Structures are given as C-alpha cells and as structure tokens.
C-alpha cells in the first residue's frame, strides 16, 4: 500500500467548523471506500466524541503516542473504513511534558509511520492554538486544509495561518503545502460573505508564481451550508452520514470529499489542476508572500 496522505485541518480561531469538517470529511471519504484515520489532537476531544468514542476510561490515546509509549495502539474503529486515535483531557498536559523532551516536534511523525500504513488518508484535527500539538501535526502532514467562515476577521486569520505554515516549511517540514480553504456554515446569499470569498480567491490567484507553500491553494467547492443536522449529529456520537445521510450537510461533505481527494490524488487522465511535485528544499518566503490576504475593502456607510 502507498503511503497515506496526511492532512492537517487547522484554524487558530475556535468555532469555525474545524472538527465538524474533520469528522464528516473523513466519514465521506470512508463512505467512498477509502480507509481513513482521524487523529484527535485537541484536548477537548470533540472529534473523539463526535465519532461516538467516550474518552473516559480509554486504555490508551494520542497522549500515549506523544509521550513515548512505543507499543501503544489506541486506534478505535468508529465505522466501516473509519478509525480514530482518540484524545482525552490528559492531552492538555502533553505540551508541558513535551517541552524539554528530545525530538518533541517529531513524536507524531514517528507514531504515524508505525500505525498509519494501513490507511489511505489520515486527517489530523488540530487544537485552536499554535503549540507543540499543532507543530507535531504540521511536522507530520503533507498538506493543510483551513476550515473557516466567510467573515472579515476570519480572512485576516488566514494570513496568520499561512505565515505559520511558511515558517514550518522553512525548517521542520519543507514539503508541507496548503491545499486550500473549506468554507463552513456558509450563507451564499450574504453579500459580505461573497466579498470575503472573492478577496480570498483573488489572493490565492495572485500567489500562483510565488515560491510559497500556498501557491496552488484554492477555495474548495462546495461550501458547507448551514444545516441543523450537522449541529445535532455530534450529540448522538455520529457523523452526518450515520445521523442524517440525505441532509444537505451530507450532500455537501460528499461533494467536498470528492473534490479534496481529486486534488490530493489527481488522476493522470484529468488535466485539471494537478498537484505540483514537492521539492526537497527549504522554501524561502519572500516578504510579499508572507503578508496576510489583502485587507477587506473599506466601504462607505
């Protein structure tokens, strides 16, 4: 089996749909026949709970992997083709315990080299902060997805996320790339949202010739519409495909999964936007590419 595609889903702002997207994108890929592993790196354990796993009383978790239990195998099957490495509240202490540990940034990379070979795709649900847990995720990942809402402040936050990825690509993980942005809780009729998305697309288009990890990034279609079933399903420990498989949220994540998979693993017969080879070099960030997406236009009242 080929090496799995490892994708980090990150946003330093909470409440943007990151965990909902991690879980339901994983479930959609599993439904399509891919073997998928979700790694919950958030001490809140929301992805773990969303997939129906109770973090209380676990024999082992991602905490054990990061703290050096070489024999730990905390994988739990959540559905057909879908597994999770769960989190627990002890994970909150991991950053302090890892602070002075050797190879503290590569612990997850080593663990996934041992446990991830059985999977086609590994999705890493990052905490909403830039600490050692997120750094471990970015060190292990091949690519980054950024779930966000189409709001002005979120647009500014994307610029900071890109700077973070750029710093990682300079040293720890030179092959790291940004696949793009997933729009969550989206209202396609809102003028403000349309303008934010337009600004974001224009920024990515302006970076096509830049020597930066996001030079091929896109705003993925379709956006994930607001859907009450998506909000309800975590309380039942189910993905949207178990809870309401024909809801609009399920349709959106099915289509999104197809598009993400096509971009991560483009078929040779499909000419649309192939992924460029990843150079084994340190990417030097020019000053222009390190800036945030251009500020949203000022408007008169």
């Amino acid at each position: 089996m080929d090496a799995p595609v490892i994708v980090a889903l990150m946003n330093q702002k909470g409440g943007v749909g990151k965990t909902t997207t991690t879980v339901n994108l994983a479930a959609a890929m599993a439904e399509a026949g891919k073997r998928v592993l979700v790694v919950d790196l958030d001490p809140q354990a929301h992805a773990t709970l969303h997939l129906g796993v109770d973090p209380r009383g676990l024999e082992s978790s991602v905490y054990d992997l990061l703290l050096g239990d070489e024999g730990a195998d905390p994988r739990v099957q959540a559905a057909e083709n879908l597994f999770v490495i769960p989190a627990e509240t002890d994970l909150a202490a991991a950053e302090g315990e890892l602070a002075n540990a050797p190879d503290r940034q590569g612990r997850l990379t080593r663990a996934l080299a041992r446990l991830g070979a059985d999977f086609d795709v590994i999705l890493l649900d990052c905490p909403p902060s830039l600490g050692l847990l997120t750094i471990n995720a970015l060190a292990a990942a091949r690519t980054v997805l950024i779930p966000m809402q189409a709001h002005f402040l979120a647009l500014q936050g994307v610029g900071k996320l890109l700077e973070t990825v750029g710093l990682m690509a300079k040293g720890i993980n030179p092959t790291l790339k940004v696949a793009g942005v997933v729009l969550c809780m989206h209202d396609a009729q809102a003028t403000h949202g349309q303008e934010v998305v337009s600004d974001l697309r224009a920024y990515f288009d302006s970076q096509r010739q830049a020597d930066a990890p996001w030079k091929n990034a896109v705003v993925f279609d379709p956006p994930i519409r607001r859907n009450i079933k998506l909000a309800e399903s975590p309380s039942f420990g189910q993905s949207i495909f178990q809870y309401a498989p024909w809801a609009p949220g399920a349709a959106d994540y099915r289509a999104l999964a197809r598009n993400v998979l096509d971009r991560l693993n483009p078929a040779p017969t499909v000419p649309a936007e192939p992924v460029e080879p990843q150079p084994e070099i340190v990417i030097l960030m020019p000053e222009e590419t390190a800036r945030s997406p251009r500020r949203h236009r000022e408007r008169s009242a």
Side-chain angles (χ1 to χ4, degrees), residues 26-285:
M29 291 177 175
E31 185 185 65
K34 300 294 184 181
R35 284 181 60 83
V36 186
L37 175 66
V38 172
V39 182
D40 190 352
L41 291 166
D42 192 336
Q44 299 176 95
H46 286 173
T48 300
L49 291 164
H50 198 332
L51 286 167
V53 178
D54 188 344
R56 297 170 298 181
L58 291 169
E59 291 186 6
S60 61
S61 72
V62 71
Y63 174 88
D64 300 284
L65 294 183
L66 295 174
L67 269 296
D69 185 349
E70 298 293 340
D73 185 357
R75 293 174 296 181
V76 177
Q77 185 163 7
E80 185 177 2
N81 291 328
L82 180 57
F83 292 74
V84 59
I85 293 180
E88 56 180 319
T89 54
D90 284 351
L91 189 57
E95 298 210 358
E97 295 180 49
L98 285 171
N100 297 312
D103 191 26
R104 59 186 178 274
Q105 298 167 337
R107 297 294 183 94
L108 184 62
T109 303
R110 291 205 312 273
L112 293 181
R114 178 170 61 88
L115 297 176
D118 294 334
F119 299 95
D120 301 305
V121 183
I122 300 175
L123 300 183
L124 311 178
D125 187 35
C126 300
S129 61
L130 183 61
L132 275 173
L133 295 174
T134 298
I135 289 173
N136 265 267
L138 294 178
R142 187 180 98 181
T143 192
V144 174
L145 280 179
I146 304 173
M148 64 168 279
Q149 291 178 265
H151 297 164
F152 169 67
L153 292 178
L155 183 67
Q156 302 308 299
V158 168
K160 296 299 182 183
L161 289 174
L162 296 182
E163 290 179 19
T164 298
V165 174
L167 290 172
M168 290 292 297
K170 280 184 177 181
I172 296 174
N173 186 358
T175 62
L176 185 64
K177 304 295 180 185
V178 178
V181 164
V182 175
L183 298 170
C184 302
M185 294 175 276
H186 191 62
D187 181 359
Q189 304 304 314
T191 301
H192 175 70
Q194 294 172 0
E195 292 169 344
V196 169
V197 173
S198 177
D199 279 359
L200 191 57
R201 291 186 193 276
Y203 177 75
F204 284 149
D205 286 343
S206 75
Q207 300 295 296
R208 298 303 177 214
Q209 303 305 315
D211 187 16
W214 52 87
K215 64 180 292 184
N216 293 317
V218 298
V219 178
F220 279 97
D221 287 321
I224 307 303
R225 294 167 285 179
R226 288 188 179 274
N227 179 217
I228 187 61
K229 297 298 184 184
L230 287 172
E232 292 173 352
S233 60
S235 63
F236 292 88
Q238 296 178 333
S239 74
I240 189 63
F241 302 100
Q242 296 165 311
Y243 180 67
W246 303 114
D252 289 345
Y253 276 112
R254 280 192 187 97
L256 177 66
R258 288 194 297 269
N259 290 335
V260 170
L261 287 170
D262 285 346
R263 191 156 185 87
L264 295 178
N265 296 295
T269 56
V270 178
E273 302 178 348
V275 176
E276 301 228 351
Q278 298 176 352
E280 294 291 338
I281 61 172
V282 175
I283 298 174
L284 300 176
M285 292 283 294

